[in-house]
Amino acid sequence: MKKKSRPMLLTLSAMLVLTAALTGCSGKSGTSGTSPETTPKTAQTDNGGTPKAEQPGNPDGTWVLGEKPLEFTAYAHYENTNFPAWESTPAGKWLSENKGVKISMIAAAGAHTQKLSALMASDQLPDMIWTDRNHPDLERLREAGKLVAFDDYLDKYPNLKTWMGDNLNMLRHDDGKLYMFPNWYTSRPAGNAGYVVNKKIYDELGAPPLETTDDLYNYLVKVKEKYGSSVIPFEPHRAKDMQGLGVLYTAFGEGALYTYLNSSMRAVPKDGKLTSVFTDPVFREAQKYIAKLYREKLISQDAFTQTEDQVLEKVMTGRVAVFAGSSPTTMAGDAQPELIKEDPDGGYFMIWPIHKPGLDKNKIYPGTYTSFGWNAAYITTAAKDPEAIFAFLDWYTGPEGMNLQFFGPEGDNWKGFDEEGKPNFTADYDPAEVADIQTKNEPIMFVGNTSYIDPAKYKYMAELPFEEQDWRTKYQQTITWPTQYNVTEFVNLNPPPESEEGIIQTSVDELFLEIYANSVMAKSDEDVDRILDQGNEDLMALGYGKLLEWRTARWQENLKKMNQE
């Protein structure tokens, strides 16, 4: 899955979670407390409840939100993604009118690579660029001295440093400096990968066990026998991005991770080294199982070519029996209210991750997460006042900024903070208004703080009966978050694109996907082995071994950094 797609899906899921998350808040009067400073559980404030770091006229010279206007330009370096007009969003409008923060959004009209190249060539860079962490285009800017290092700001504006902790050091460049502000970073498990099951079909088939790979196969066979071509037994989302097929792979090994198949890794750790995926016994066993499902038409036959809209249509209409992927909760969560309108006993539910018989079900991880989230904001030397931009981002990622983005300005839906730094929701809390706020703010949530906002979202949810909780949130709490694995040690394993290893990676990625698809469509177990044997030889001829050596060295460097923390 593309780096950009996954965070946007997860972020969208996080936004939609609140649609019904706090429906039970009416009648619970929130009391105004003190605003948390940067530490999650303690706060030092003035008598008015405003953190000291935000008092006007600070003698230490720190930038203060609202003390003077702040204007800068911002650009989202992703294909088919542009920031909306700043004041068209609730948070942007409020910040513009009340704090003098105005951001001019630069659009690329779908030609993002060409747009940034033109901006670089003309030396008219945006003040802030939002894109993948370690994006090669941003590395080129760093090499040209066009990015601002954040090191001098971290203690003056400590939200990021406090909420990220020592893991922030893992984002430093080889020169020891920090150039990126991560988005949706976290110190707690996060993610939505797993299996969603169609409840109506499941009940009609007698609610059989769905725990092991044998159970799953038998169930899919029953689905096909009863419903024929009208229902897809197993929908793997976008197979070309691994997605649900990658989730199935994790069922065959304790600690087998979805991340091993991603472009940023394409390797399996063994005895301190990163080794070929295609020689991994667990991967081979999984591929034989998947190929069997495909041969017997228990998996979407257009899994490698179908579009996102085609998958969505099937999920929304209930034409899938089991749906798996890196974030199946997004589509299933949208479909849930529509399906139960027609049948209150229908809809979807999630199951504990499938495991091969004999394995420990609590050591199966269908999804992964890192402490750093997915994308990041960079400040360029074009900025007239880079410190002010960083200070704003740091405020935006802190408790007040996150609550503004999720619940609106203080005073209506929330007022003050409890002893743990979570917002106090008022008796006037309006679920429909909050849902609208989140949906409209989602495109400008560019420095999200998962560690803070997830517990805040769940504050009232925990008080509701399970059946009344928001569909996404209850399964995040009970299924997905407990079964996602921290893969922070495997970050930053992409070589520079112009390097020998970077060129090898491009060739390896193209051939890897071709081999992978061929193994899924194999005619027999023997055919799977033949395809993977030949595929591994072909990859090695392209330099796959050299790429694995380079990535092993970087992985070991990561482990040393983490052990020093």
mmCIF file with all atom_site columns, all heavy atoms in Angstrom, residues 249-257 260 268 282 354-365 485:
data_model
loop_
_atom_site.group_PDB
_atom_site.id
_atom_site.type_symbol
_atom_site.label_atom_id
_atom_site.label_alt_id
_atom_site.label_comp_id
_atom_site.label_asym_id
_atom_site.label_entity_id
_atom_site.label_seq_id
_atom_site.pdbx_PDB_ins_code
_atom_site.Cartn_x
_atom_site.Cartn_y
_atom_site.Cartn_z
_atom_site.occupancy
_atom_site.B_iso_or_equiv
_atom_site.pdbx_formal_charge
_atom_site.auth_seq_id
_atom_site.auth_comp_id
_atom_site.auth_asym_id
_atom_site.auth_atom_id
_atom_site.pdbx_PDB_model_num
ATOM 1   N N   . TYR A 1 249 ? -1.022 -13.766 5.357  1.00 0.00 ? 249 TYR A N   1
ATOM 2   C CA  . TYR A 1 249 ? 0.350  -14.245 5.579  1.00 0.00 ? 249 TYR A CA  1
ATOM 3   C C   . TYR A 1 249 ? 0.680  -14.299 7.069  1.00 0.00 ? 249 TYR A C   1
ATOM 4   O O   . TYR A 1 249 ? 1.305  -15.241 7.550  1.00 0.00 ? 249 TYR A O   1
ATOM 5   C CB  . TYR A 1 249 ? 1.327  -13.329 4.832  1.00 0.00 ? 249 TYR A CB  1
ATOM 6   C CG  . TYR A 1 249 ? 2.740  -13.324 5.372  1.00 0.00 ? 249 TYR A CG  1
ATOM 7   C CD1 . TYR A 1 249 ? 3.546  -14.460 5.314  1.00 0.00 ? 249 TYR A CD1 1
ATOM 8   C CD2 . TYR A 1 249 ? 3.285  -12.162 5.939  1.00 0.00 ? 249 TYR A CD2 1
ATOM 9   C CE1 . TYR A 1 249 ? 4.850  -14.448 5.807  1.00 0.00 ? 249 TYR A CE1 1
ATOM 10  C CE2 . TYR A 1 249 ? 4.581  -12.132 6.422  1.00 0.00 ? 249 TYR A CE2 1
ATOM 11  C CZ  . TYR A 1 249 ? 5.355  -13.280 6.366  1.00 0.00 ? 249 TYR A CZ  1
ATOM 12  O OH  . TYR A 1 249 ? 6.652  -13.260 6.856  1.00 0.00 ? 249 TYR A OH  1
ATOM 13  N N   . THR A 1 250 ? 0.228  -13.311 7.817  1.00 0.00 ? 250 THR A N   1
ATOM 14  C CA  . THR A 1 250 ? 0.580  -13.258 9.239  1.00 0.00 ? 250 THR A CA  1
ATOM 15  C C   . THR A 1 250 ? -0.044 -14.390 10.047 1.00 0.00 ? 250 THR A C   1
ATOM 16  O O   . THR A 1 250 ? 0.401  -14.673 11.161 1.00 0.00 ? 250 THR A O   1
ATOM 17  C CB  . THR A 1 250 ? 0.146  -11.912 9.863  1.00 0.00 ? 250 THR A CB  1
ATOM 18  O OG1 . THR A 1 250 ? -1.287 -11.826 9.910  1.00 0.00 ? 250 THR A OG1 1
ATOM 19  C CG2 . THR A 1 250 ? 0.701  -10.740 9.075  1.00 0.00 ? 250 THR A CG2 1
ATOM 20  N N   . ALA A 1 251 ? -1.053 -15.059 9.493  1.00 0.00 ? 251 ALA A N   1
ATOM 21  C CA  . ALA A 1 251 ? -1.717 -16.151 10.207 1.00 0.00 ? 251 ALA A CA  1
ATOM 22  C C   . ALA A 1 251 ? -0.835 -17.386 10.325 1.00 0.00 ? 251 ALA A C   1
ATOM 23  O O   . ALA A 1 251 ? -1.113 -18.279 11.140 1.00 0.00 ? 251 ALA A O   1
ATOM 24  C CB  . ALA A 1 251 ? -3.021 -16.521 9.503  1.00 0.00 ? 251 ALA A CB  1
ATOM 25  N N   . PHE A 1 252 ? 0.235  -17.449 9.539  1.00 0.00 ? 252 PHE A N   1
ATOM 26  C CA  . PHE A 1 252 ? 1.025  -18.676 9.450  1.00 0.00 ? 252 PHE A CA  1
ATOM 27  C C   . PHE A 1 252 ? 2.304  -18.660 10.270 1.00 0.00 ? 252 PHE A C   1
ATOM 28  O O   . PHE A 1 252 ? 3.074  -19.628 10.228 1.00 0.00 ? 252 PHE A O   1
ATOM 29  C CB  . PHE A 1 252 ? 1.327  -18.983 7.985  1.00 0.00 ? 252 PHE A CB  1
ATOM 30  C CG  . PHE A 1 252 ? 0.128  -19.492 7.241  1.00 0.00 ? 252 PHE A CG  1
ATOM 31  C CD1 . PHE A 1 252 ? -0.789 -18.615 6.697  1.00 0.00 ? 252 PHE A CD1 1
ATOM 32  C CD2 . PHE A 1 252 ? -0.108 -20.855 7.128  1.00 0.00 ? 252 PHE A CD2 1
ATOM 33  C CE1 . PHE A 1 252 ? -1.911 -19.079 6.033  1.00 0.00 ? 252 PHE A CE1 1
ATOM 34  C CE2 . PHE A 1 252 ? -1.228 -21.330 6.475  1.00 0.00 ? 252 PHE A CE2 1
ATOM 35  C CZ  . PHE A 1 252 ? -2.145 -20.442 5.925  1.00 0.00 ? 252 PHE A CZ  1
ATOM 36  N N   . GLY A 1 253 ? 2.538  -17.607 11.016 1.00 0.00 ? 253 GLY A N   1
ATOM 37  C CA  . GLY A 1 253 ? 3.742  -17.592 11.842 1.00 0.00 ? 253 GLY A CA  1
ATOM 38  C C   . GLY A 1 253 ? 3.600  -16.660 13.029 1.00 0.00 ? 253 GLY A C   1
ATOM 39  O O   . GLY A 1 253 ? 3.121  -15.528 12.881 1.00 0.00 ? 253 GLY A O   1
ATOM 40  N N   . GLU A 1 254 ? 3.983  -17.122 14.184 1.00 0.00 ? 254 GLU A N   1
ATOM 41  C CA  . GLU A 1 254 ? 3.986  -16.247 15.352 1.00 0.00 ? 254 GLU A CA  1
ATOM 42  C C   . GLU A 1 254 ? 5.014  -15.141 15.118 1.00 0.00 ? 254 GLU A C   1
ATOM 43  O O   . GLU A 1 254 ? 6.191  -15.411 14.901 1.00 0.00 ? 254 GLU A O   1
ATOM 44  C CB  . GLU A 1 254 ? 4.314  -17.045 16.614 1.00 0.00 ? 254 GLU A CB  1
ATOM 45  C CG  . GLU A 1 254 ? 3.260  -18.079 16.962 1.00 0.00 ? 254 GLU A CG  1
ATOM 46  C CD  . GLU A 1 254 ? 3.641  -18.930 18.173 1.00 0.00 ? 254 GLU A CD  1
ATOM 47  O OE1 . GLU A 1 254 ? 4.704  -18.653 18.772 1.00 0.00 ? 254 GLU A OE1 1
ATOM 48  O OE2 . GLU A 1 254 ? 2.878  -19.861 18.514 1.00 0.00 ? 254 GLU A OE2 1
ATOM 49  N N   . GLY A 1 255 ? 4.556  -13.904 15.131 1.00 0.00 ? 255 GLY A N   1
ATOM 50  C CA  . GLY A 1 255 ? 5.450  -12.785 14.892 1.00 0.00 ? 255 GLY A CA  1
ATOM 51  C C   . GLY A 1 255 ? 5.723  -12.500 13.432 1.00 0.00 ? 255 GLY A C   1
ATOM 52  O O   . GLY A 1 255 ? 6.527  -11.608 13.120 1.00 0.00 ? 255 GLY A O   1
ATOM 53  N N   . ALA A 1 256 ? 5.087  -13.222 12.510 1.00 0.00 ? 256 ALA A N   1
ATOM 54  C CA  . ALA A 1 256 ? 5.208  -12.887 11.083 1.00 0.00 ? 256 ALA A CA  1
ATOM 55  C C   . ALA A 1 256 ? 4.478  -11.568 10.849 1.00 0.00 ? 256 ALA A C   1
ATOM 56  O O   . ALA A 1 256 ? 3.317  -11.438 11.236 1.00 0.00 ? 256 ALA A O   1
ATOM 57  C CB  . ALA A 1 256 ? 4.610  -13.997 10.218 1.00 0.00 ? 256 ALA A CB  1
ATOM 58  N N   . LEU A 1 257 ? 5.144  -10.616 10.229 1.00 0.00 ? 257 LEU A N   1
ATOM 59  C CA  . LEU A 1 257 ? 4.597  -9.267  10.150 1.00 0.00 ? 257 LEU A CA  1
ATOM 60  C C   . LEU A 1 257 ? 4.304  -8.836  8.719  1.00 0.00 ? 257 LEU A C   1
ATOM 61  O O   . LEU A 1 257 ? 5.093  -9.077  7.804  1.00 0.00 ? 257 LEU A O   1
ATOM 62  C CB  . LEU A 1 257 ? 5.566  -8.266  10.792 1.00 0.00 ? 257 LEU A CB  1
ATOM 63  C CG  . LEU A 1 257 ? 5.941  -8.539  12.240 1.00 0.00 ? 257 LEU A CG  1
ATOM 64  C CD1 . LEU A 1 257 ? 6.946  -7.503  12.727 1.00 0.00 ? 257 LEU A CD1 1
ATOM 65  C CD2 . LEU A 1 257 ? 4.709  -8.557  13.139 1.00 0.00 ? 257 LEU A CD2 1
ATOM 66  N N   . TYR A 1 260 ? 6.995  -7.012  6.638  1.00 0.00 ? 260 TYR A N   1
ATOM 67  C CA  . TYR A 1 260 ? 8.056  -7.716  5.931  1.00 0.00 ? 260 TYR A CA  1
ATOM 68  C C   . TYR A 1 260 ? 7.851  -7.692  4.422  1.00 0.00 ? 260 TYR A C   1
ATOM 69  O O   . TYR A 1 260 ? 8.822  -7.773  3.652  1.00 0.00 ? 260 TYR A O   1
ATOM 70  C CB  . TYR A 1 260 ? 8.137  -9.179  6.385  1.00 0.00 ? 260 TYR A CB  1
ATOM 71  C CG  . TYR A 1 260 ? 8.496  -9.384  7.834  1.00 0.00 ? 260 TYR A CG  1
ATOM 72  C CD1 . TYR A 1 260 ? 8.295  -10.620 8.448  1.00 0.00 ? 260 TYR A CD1 1
ATOM 73  C CD2 . TYR A 1 260 ? 9.033  -8.357  8.613  1.00 0.00 ? 260 TYR A CD2 1
ATOM 74  C CE1 . TYR A 1 260 ? 8.624  -10.834 9.774  1.00 0.00 ? 260 TYR A CE1 1
ATOM 75  C CE2 . TYR A 1 260 ? 9.360  -8.559  9.941  1.00 0.00 ? 260 TYR A CE2 1
ATOM 76  C CZ  . TYR A 1 260 ? 9.153  -9.804  10.518 1.00 0.00 ? 260 TYR A CZ  1
ATOM 77  O OH  . TYR A 1 260 ? 9.467  -10.009 11.834 1.00 0.00 ? 260 TYR A OH  1
ATOM 78  N N   . VAL A 1 268 ? 12.787 -10.681 5.675  1.00 0.00 ? 268 VAL A N   1
ATOM 79  C CA  . VAL A 1 268 ? 12.395 -11.347 6.912  1.00 0.00 ? 268 VAL A CA  1
ATOM 80  C C   . VAL A 1 268 ? 13.625 -11.447 7.819  1.00 0.00 ? 268 VAL A C   1
ATOM 81  O O   . VAL A 1 268 ? 14.664 -11.948 7.397  1.00 0.00 ? 268 VAL A O   1
ATOM 82  C CB  . VAL A 1 268 ? 11.840 -12.756 6.632  1.00 0.00 ? 268 VAL A CB  1
ATOM 83  C CG1 . VAL A 1 268 ? 11.527 -13.486 7.928  1.00 0.00 ? 268 VAL A CG1 1
ATOM 84  C CG2 . VAL A 1 268 ? 10.590 -12.676 5.750  1.00 0.00 ? 268 VAL A CG2 1
ATOM 85  N N   . VAL A 1 282 ? 7.602  -19.671 6.260  1.00 0.00 ? 282 VAL A N   1
ATOM 86  C CA  . VAL A 1 282 ? 6.272  -19.185 6.637  1.00 0.00 ? 282 VAL A CA  1
ATOM 87  C C   . VAL A 1 282 ? 5.595  -18.522 5.447  1.00 0.00 ? 282 VAL A C   1
ATOM 88  O O   . VAL A 1 282 ? 4.408  -18.750 5.174  1.00 0.00 ? 282 VAL A O   1
ATOM 89  C CB  . VAL A 1 282 ? 6.372  -18.198 7.821  1.00 0.00 ? 282 VAL A CB  1
ATOM 90  C CG1 . VAL A 1 282 ? 5.012  -17.568 8.110  1.00 0.00 ? 282 VAL A CG1 1
ATOM 91  C CG2 . VAL A 1 282 ? 6.910  -18.900 9.060  1.00 0.00 ? 282 VAL A CG2 1
ATOM 92  N N   . ILE A 1 354 ? -7.020 -14.503 12.568 1.00 0.00 ? 354 ILE A N   1
ATOM 93  C CA  . ILE A 1 354 ? -6.941 -15.923 12.198 1.00 0.00 ? 354 ILE A CA  1
ATOM 94  C C   . ILE A 1 354 ? -5.516 -16.436 12.432 1.00 0.00 ? 354 ILE A C   1
ATOM 95  O O   . ILE A 1 354 ? -4.537 -15.732 12.179 1.00 0.00 ? 354 ILE A O   1
ATOM 96  C CB  . ILE A 1 354 ? -7.330 -16.106 10.717 1.00 0.00 ? 354 ILE A CB  1
ATOM 97  C CG1 . ILE A 1 354 ? -8.795 -15.691 10.492 1.00 0.00 ? 354 ILE A CG1 1
ATOM 98  C CG2 . ILE A 1 354 ? -7.080 -17.532 10.248 1.00 0.00 ? 354 ILE A CG2 1
ATOM 99  C CD1 . ILE A 1 354 ? -9.804 -16.605 11.128 1.00 0.00 ? 354 ILE A CD1 1
ATOM 100 N N   . HIS A 1 355 ? -5.402 -17.690 12.896 1.00 0.00 ? 355 HIS A N   1
ATOM 101 C CA  . HIS A 1 355 ? -4.067 -18.266 13.092 1.00 0.00 ? 355 HIS A CA  1
ATOM 102 C C   . HIS A 1 355 ? -4.049 -19.716 12.615 1.00 0.00 ? 355 HIS A C   1
ATOM 103 O O   . HIS A 1 355 ? -5.076 -20.411 12.620 1.00 0.00 ? 355 HIS A O   1
ATOM 104 C CB  . HIS A 1 355 ? -3.659 -18.216 14.563 1.00 0.00 ? 355 HIS A CB  1
ATOM 105 C CG  . HIS A 1 355 ? -4.539 -19.043 15.471 1.00 0.00 ? 355 HIS A CG  1
ATOM 106 N ND1 . HIS A 1 355 ? -5.780 -18.621 15.902 1.00 0.00 ? 355 HIS A ND1 1
ATOM 107 C CD2 . HIS A 1 355 ? -4.352 -20.269 16.027 1.00 0.00 ? 355 HIS A CD2 1
ATOM 108 C CE1 . HIS A 1 355 ? -6.320 -19.533 16.680 1.00 0.00 ? 355 HIS A CE1 1
ATOM 109 N NE2 . HIS A 1 355 ? -5.482 -20.551 16.771 1.00 0.00 ? 355 HIS A NE2 1
ATOM 110 N N   . LYS A 1 356 ? -2.897 -20.150 12.198 1.00 0.00 ? 356 LYS A N   1
ATOM 111 C CA  . LYS A 1 356 ? -2.707 -21.545 11.821 1.00 0.00 ? 356 LYS A CA  1
ATOM 112 C C   . LYS A 1 356 ? -2.881 -22.424 13.057 1.00 0.00 ? 356 LYS A C   1
ATOM 113 O O   . LYS A 1 356 ? -2.458 -22.059 14.157 1.00 0.00 ? 356 LYS A O   1
ATOM 114 C CB  . LYS A 1 356 ? -1.297 -21.728 11.251 1.00 0.00 ? 356 LYS A CB  1
ATOM 115 C CG  . LYS A 1 356 ? -0.918 -23.157 10.923 1.00 0.00 ? 356 LYS A CG  1
ATOM 116 C CD  . LYS A 1 356 ? 0.546  -23.224 10.513 1.00 0.00 ? 356 LYS A CD  1
ATOM 117 C CE  . LYS A 1 356 ? 1.016  -24.679 10.404 1.00 0.00 ? 356 LYS A CE  1
ATOM 118 N NZ  . LYS A 1 356 ? 2.460  -24.765 10.055 1.00 0.00 ? 356 LYS A NZ  1
ATOM 119 N N   . PRO A 1 357 ? -3.539 -23.600 12.923 1.00 0.00 ? 357 PRO A N   1
ATOM 120 C CA  . PRO A 1 357 ? -3.707 -24.483 14.079 1.00 0.00 ? 357 PRO A CA  1
ATOM 121 C C   . PRO A 1 357 ? -2.369 -24.791 14.744 1.00 0.00 ? 357 PRO A C   1
ATOM 122 O O   . PRO A 1 357 ? -1.369 -25.054 14.073 1.00 0.00 ? 357 PRO A O   1
ATOM 123 C CB  . PRO A 1 357 ? -4.327 -25.741 13.470 1.00 0.00 ? 357 PRO A CB  1
ATOM 124 C CG  . PRO A 1 357 ? -5.042 -25.258 12.255 1.00 0.00 ? 357 PRO A CG  1
ATOM 125 C CD  . PRO A 1 357 ? -4.193 -24.143 11.717 1.00 0.00 ? 357 PRO A CD  1
ATOM 126 N N   . GLY A 1 358 ? -2.362 -24.717 16.066 1.00 0.00 ? 358 GLY A N   1
ATOM 127 C CA  . GLY A 1 358 ? -1.143 -25.006 16.804 1.00 0.00 ? 358 GLY A CA  1
ATOM 128 C C   . GLY A 1 358 ? -0.355 -23.778 17.214 1.00 0.00 ? 358 GLY A C   1
ATOM 129 O O   . GLY A 1 358 ? 0.512  -23.860 18.086 1.00 0.00 ? 358 GLY A O   1
ATOM 130 N N   . LEU A 1 359 ? -0.625 -22.639 16.588 1.00 0.00 ? 359 LEU A N   1
ATOM 131 C CA  . LEU A 1 359 ? 0.069  -21.409 16.939 1.00 0.00 ? 359 LEU A CA  1
ATOM 132 C C   . LEU A 1 359 ? -0.671 -20.675 18.054 1.00 0.00 ? 359 LEU A C   1
ATOM 133 O O   . LEU A 1 359 ? -1.877 -20.866 18.248 1.00 0.00 ? 359 LEU A O   1
ATOM 134 C CB  . LEU A 1 359 ? 0.195  -20.484 15.724 1.00 0.00 ? 359 LEU A CB  1
ATOM 135 C CG  . LEU A 1 359 ? 0.972  -21.027 14.522 1.00 0.00 ? 359 LEU A CG  1
ATOM 136 C CD1 . LEU A 1 359 ? 1.061  -19.953 13.443 1.00 0.00 ? 359 LEU A CD1 1
ATOM 137 C CD2 . LEU A 1 359 ? 2.366  -21.491 14.931 1.00 0.00 ? 359 LEU A CD2 1
ATOM 138 N N   . ASP A 1 360 ? 0.052  -19.836 18.765 1.00 0.00 ? 360 ASP A N   1
ATOM 139 C CA  . ASP A 1 360 ? -0.538 -19.027 19.824 1.00 0.00 ? 360 ASP A CA  1
ATOM 140 C C   . ASP A 1 360 ? -1.267 -17.856 19.190 1.00 0.00 ? 360 ASP A C   1
ATOM 141 O O   . ASP A 1 360 ? -0.656 -16.998 18.560 1.00 0.00 ? 360 ASP A O   1
ATOM 142 C CB  . ASP A 1 360 ? 0.567  -18.520 20.760 1.00 0.00 ? 360 ASP A CB  1
ATOM 143 C CG  . ASP A 1 360 ? 0.028  -17.757 21.970 1.00 0.00 ? 360 ASP A CG  1
ATOM 144 O OD1 . ASP A 1 360 ? -1.141 -17.327 21.935 1.00 0.00 ? 360 ASP A OD1 1
ATOM 145 O OD2 . ASP A 1 360 ? 0.795  -17.561 22.931 1.00 0.00 ? 360 ASP A OD2 1
ATOM 146 N N   . LYS A 1 361 ? -2.582 -17.796 19.366 1.00 0.00 ? 361 LYS A N   1
ATOM 147 C CA  . LYS A 1 361 ? -3.378 -16.745 18.722 1.00 0.00 ? 361 LYS A CA  1
ATOM 148 C C   . LYS A 1 361 ? -2.995 -15.347 19.201 1.00 0.00 ? 361 LYS A C   1
ATOM 149 O O   . LYS A 1 361 ? -3.256 -14.356 18.514 1.00 0.00 ? 361 LYS A O   1
ATOM 150 C CB  . LYS A 1 361 ? -4.869 -16.984 18.957 1.00 0.00 ? 361 LYS A CB  1
ATOM 151 C CG  . LYS A 1 361 ? -5.330 -16.747 20.390 1.00 0.00 ? 361 LYS A CG  1
ATOM 152 C CD  . LYS A 1 361 ? -6.844 -16.880 20.509 1.00 0.00 ? 361 LYS A CD  1
ATOM 153 C CE  . LYS A 1 361 ? -7.321 -16.520 21.912 1.00 0.00 ? 361 LYS A CE  1
ATOM 154 N NZ  . LYS A 1 361 ? -8.804 -16.586 22.018 1.00 0.00 ? 361 LYS A NZ  1
ATOM 155 N N   . ASN A 1 362 ? -2.385 -15.262 20.371 1.00 0.00 ? 362 ASN A N   1
ATOM 156 C CA  . ASN A 1 362 ? -1.992 -13.965 20.908 1.00 0.00 ? 362 ASN A CA  1
ATOM 157 C C   . ASN A 1 362 ? -0.633 -13.500 20.408 1.00 0.00 ? 362 ASN A C   1
ATOM 158 O O   . ASN A 1 362 ? -0.152 -12.435 20.813 1.00 0.00 ? 362 ASN A O   1
ATOM 159 C CB  . ASN A 1 362 ? -1.988 -14.020 22.439 1.00 0.00 ? 362 ASN A CB  1
ATOM 160 C CG  . ASN A 1 362 ? -3.376 -14.240 23.007 1.00 0.00 ? 362 ASN A CG  1
ATOM 161 O OD1 . ASN A 1 362 ? -4.328 -13.581 22.612 1.00 0.00 ? 362 ASN A OD1 1
ATOM 162 N ND2 . ASN A 1 362 ? -3.497 -15.187 23.926 1.00 0.00 ? 362 ASN A ND2 1
ATOM 163 N N   . LYS A 1 363 ? -0.026 -14.272 19.519 1.00 0.00 ? 363 LYS A N   1
ATOM 164 C CA  . LYS A 1 363 ? 1.251  -13.886 18.918 1.00 0.00 ? 363 LYS A CA  1
ATOM 165 C C   . LYS A 1 363 ? 1.103  -13.703 17.406 1.00 0.00 ? 363 LYS A C   1
ATOM 166 O O   . LYS A 1 363 ? 2.074  -13.783 16.660 1.00 0.00 ? 363 LYS A O   1
ATOM 167 C CB  . LYS A 1 363 ? 2.329  -14.916 19.233 1.00 0.00 ? 363 LYS A CB  1
ATOM 168 C CG  . LYS A 1 363 ? 2.671  -14.983 20.720 1.00 0.00 ? 363 LYS A CG  1
ATOM 169 C CD  . LYS A 1 363 ? 3.770  -16.003 21.009 1.00 0.00 ? 363 LYS A CD  1
ATOM 170 C CE  . LYS A 1 363 ? 4.075  -16.056 22.509 1.00 0.00 ? 363 LYS A CE  1
ATOM 171 N NZ  . LYS A 1 363 ? 5.126  -17.057 22.824 1.00 0.00 ? 363 LYS A NZ  1
ATOM 172 N N   . ILE A 1 364 ? -0.138 -13.474 16.966 1.00 0.00 ? 364 ILE A N   1
ATOM 173 C CA  . ILE A 1 364 ? -0.426 -13.220 15.557 1.00 0.00 ? 364 ILE A CA  1
ATOM 174 C C   . ILE A 1 364 ? -0.761 -11.741 15.417 1.00 0.00 ? 364 ILE A C   1
ATOM 175 O O   . ILE A 1 364 ? -1.632 -11.216 16.111 1.00 0.00 ? 364 ILE A O   1
ATOM 176 C CB  . ILE A 1 364 ? -1.614 -14.078 15.071 1.00 0.00 ? 364 ILE A CB  1
ATOM 177 C CG1 . ILE A 1 364 ? -1.322 -15.569 15.305 1.00 0.00 ? 364 ILE A CG1 1
ATOM 178 C CG2 . ILE A 1 364 ? -1.912 -13.800 13.602 1.00 0.00 ? 364 ILE A CG2 1
ATOM 179 C CD1 . ILE A 1 364 ? -0.106 -16.111 14.555 1.00 0.00 ? 364 ILE A CD1 1
ATOM 180 N N   . TYR A 1 365 ? -0.073 -11.051 14.494 1.00 0.00 ? 365 TYR A N   1
ATOM 181 C CA  . TYR A 1 365 ? -0.219 -9.601  14.348 1.00 0.00 ? 365 TYR A CA  1
ATOM 182 C C   . TYR A 1 365 ? -0.532 -9.243  12.896 1.00 0.00 ? 365 TYR A C   1
ATOM 183 O O   . TYR A 1 365 ? 0.372  -9.165  12.064 1.00 0.00 ? 365 TYR A O   1
ATOM 184 C CB  . TYR A 1 365 ? 1.064  -8.897  14.789 1.00 0.00 ? 365 TYR A CB  1
ATOM 185 C CG  . TYR A 1 365 ? 1.507  -9.279  16.186 1.00 0.00 ? 365 TYR A CG  1
ATOM 186 C CD1 . TYR A 1 365 ? 2.494  -10.246 16.387 1.00 0.00 ? 365 TYR A CD1 1
ATOM 187 C CD2 . TYR A 1 365 ? 0.926  -8.680  17.291 1.00 0.00 ? 365 TYR A CD2 1
ATOM 188 C CE1 . TYR A 1 365 ? 2.889  -10.604 17.668 1.00 0.00 ? 365 TYR A CE1 1
ATOM 189 C CE2 . TYR A 1 365 ? 1.322  -9.023  18.580 1.00 0.00 ? 365 TYR A CE2 1
ATOM 190 C CZ  . TYR A 1 365 ? 2.308  -9.993  18.760 1.00 0.00 ? 365 TYR A CZ  1
ATOM 191 O OH  . TYR A 1 365 ? 2.698  -10.343 20.035 1.00 0.00 ? 365 TYR A OH  1
ATOM 192 N N   . TYR A 1 485 ? 1.542  -4.642  15.845 1.00 0.00 ? 485 TYR A N   1
ATOM 193 C CA  . TYR A 1 485 ? 2.908  -4.821  16.355 1.00 0.00 ? 485 TYR A CA  1
ATOM 194 C C   . TYR A 1 485 ? 3.762  -3.597  16.044 1.00 0.00 ? 485 TYR A C   1
ATOM 195 O O   . TYR A 1 485 ? 3.708  -3.042  14.947 1.00 0.00 ? 485 TYR A O   1
ATOM 196 C CB  . TYR A 1 485 ? 3.539  -6.070  15.719 1.00 0.00 ? 485 TYR A CB  1
ATOM 197 C CG  . TYR A 1 485 ? 4.800  -6.543  16.398 1.00 0.00 ? 485 TYR A CG  1
ATOM 198 C CD1 . TYR A 1 485 ? 4.735  -7.429  17.466 1.00 0.00 ? 485 TYR A CD1 1
ATOM 199 C CD2 . TYR A 1 485 ? 6.058  -6.117  15.960 1.00 0.00 ? 485 TYR A CD2 1
ATOM 200 C CE1 . TYR A 1 485 ? 5.888  -7.881  18.095 1.00 0.00 ? 485 TYR A CE1 1
ATOM 201 C CE2 . TYR A 1 485 ? 7.214  -6.562  16.580 1.00 0.00 ? 485 TYR A CE2 1
ATOM 202 C CZ  . TYR A 1 485 ? 7.127  -7.440  17.642 1.00 0.00 ? 485 TYR A CZ  1
ATOM 203 O OH  . TYR A 1 485 ? 8.275  -7.879  18.267 1.00 0.00 ? 485 TYR A OH  1
#
